[in-house]
């Protein structure tokens, strides 16, 4: 652990790592051109479903940034000095397998259902860290927060693409970014009472995001593809509704099928 006065070293180290990773990413081959998720010419964009998804993801941006900003400080209040920094370490460790875990689960359940579950778990984790003290509450909150926020982004962006809404990923990213700007402003008046109330507000906002995802699951039949890894990898094909659990699967397009 770095001493309190050495935070600049950590920032410069993070910047150096970002430069190296950016150079590696720049040299990676691009994906084939094409837009397999483009809507058909006569299809109407699903405005209602996408509005619900955008609302949920924007609320997640608000709640996520509140927790990400004040989680360590809230845990460190009235706790051993080592617990604050260790909490963020646990968040990072829980993040590592989370994307693969949620992608695997999406092969069994639809995106709206998983999005609702991930947001609900995240809300519980934030609330536990904000309302309860002690090592156990901090660890539970860190695991639930770290194990869900990457999964939420993966599921939400994949769901937006599967809805075939124009510029879905760009709009969702914008809503998420706006939420992250608003989050600290929303809870700023509460900070003179400590960081716990701010985290509780964040938990309520994330729970509201989960509720909106639940409405999306009930109101619309979302094409939650059986396997987010196919969508993330831009697998070519067409979505075919199998009528099970409101999900869809990828089937080859006519030009991809073998000729007799």
């Amino acid at each position: 652990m770095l001493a309190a006065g050495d935070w600049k070293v950590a920032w410069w180290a993070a910047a150096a790592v970002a430069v190296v990773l950016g150079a590696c990413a720049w040299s990676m081959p691009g994906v084939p051109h094409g837009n397999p998720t483009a809507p058909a010419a006569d299809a109407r964009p699903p405005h209602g479903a996408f509005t619900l998804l955008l609302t949920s993801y924007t609320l997640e941006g608000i709640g996520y940034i509140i927790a990400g900003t004040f989680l360590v400080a809230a845990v460190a209040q009235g706790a051993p000095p080592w617990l604050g920094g260790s909490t963020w370490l646990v968040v990072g460790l829980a993040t590592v397998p989370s994307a693969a875990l949620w992608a695997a689960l999406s092969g069994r359940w639809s995106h709206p259902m998983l999005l609702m579950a991930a947001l609900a778990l995240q809300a519980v984790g934030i609330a536990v860290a904000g309302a309860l003290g002690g090592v156990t509450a901090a660890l539970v909150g860190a695991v639930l927060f770290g194990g869900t926020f990457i999964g939420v982004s993966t599921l939400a962006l994949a769901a937006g693409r599967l809805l075939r809404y124009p510029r879905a990923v760009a709009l969702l990213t914008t809503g998420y970014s706006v939420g992250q700007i608003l989050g600290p402003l929303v809870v700023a008046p509460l900070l003179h009472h400590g960081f716990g109330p701010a985290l509780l507000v964040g938990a309520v906002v994330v729970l509201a995001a989960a509720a909106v995802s639940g409405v999306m699951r009930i109101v619309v039949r979302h094409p939650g593809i059986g396997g987010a890894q196919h969508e993330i990898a831009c697998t070519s094909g067409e979505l075919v509704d199998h009528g099970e659990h409101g999900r869809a699967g990828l089937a080859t397009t006519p030009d991809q099928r073998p000729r007799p």
Side-chain angles (χ1 to χ4, degrees):
M1 301 295 291
L2 292 173
D6 293 335
W7 62 269
K8 291 184 179 180
V9 176
W11 279 83
W12 281 112
V17 172
V19 169
V20 173
L21 294 178
C24 294
W26 187 267
S27 62
M28 293 175 64
V31 297
H33 292 288
N35 189 12
T37 59
D42 57 346
R44 296 180 58 187
H47 296 294
F50 185 77
T51 298
L52 291 170
L53 179 61
L54 178 60
T55 301
S56 176
Y57 198 47
T58 301
L59 290 173
E60 159 65 2
I62 296 174
Y64 158 77
I65 199 61
I66 292 173
T69 303
F70 302 114
L71 177 63
V72 172
V75 170
Q77 279 188 328
W82 58 268
L83 187 57
S86 299
T87 299
W88 201 244
L89 177 62
V90 174
V91 170
L93 292 175
T95 301
V96 173
S98 63
L101 172 63
W102 290 106
L105 291 175
S106 67
R108 186 175 181 86
W109 290 285
S110 66
H111 282 93
M113 178 183 293
L114 290 175
L115 190 58
M116 179 178 63
L119 289 167
L121 287 173
Q122 187 179 120
V124 170
I126 298 172
V128 166
L132 305 177
V135 176
T136 301
L139 293 178
V140 170
V143 169
L144 291 179
F145 180 68
T148 53
F149 76 88
I150 293 294
V152 167
S153 294
T154 302
L155 292 167
L157 295 179
R161 294 182 65 183
L162 287 171
L163 282 173
R164 303 190 177 196
Y165 194 87
R167 298 179 297 278
V169 173
L171 292 172
L172 288 169
T173 303
T174 300
Y176 192 66
S177 302
V178 170
Q180 293 190 56
I181 295 172
L182 295 177
L185 300 177
V186 170
V187 298
L190 303 176
L191 295 180
H192 63 277
H193 296 298
F195 299 106
L199 286 185
L200 292 178
V201 170
V204 171
V205 173
V206 174
L207 189 61
V212 174
S213 295
V215 173
M216 181 177 67
R217 177 175 177 267
I218 295 172
V219 173
V220 301
R221 293 194 64 190
H222 184 283
I225 187 171
Q229 61 270 28
H230 297 299
E231 175 60 27
I232 296 170
C234 298
T235 301
S236 59
E238 60 184 3
L239 286 165
V240 178
D241 187 6
H242 294 309
E244 295 179 352
H245 310 297
R247 295 190 293 166
L250 274 176
T252 55
T253 55
D255 60 286
Q256 296 171 326
R257 295 167 188 158
R259 299 184 182 277

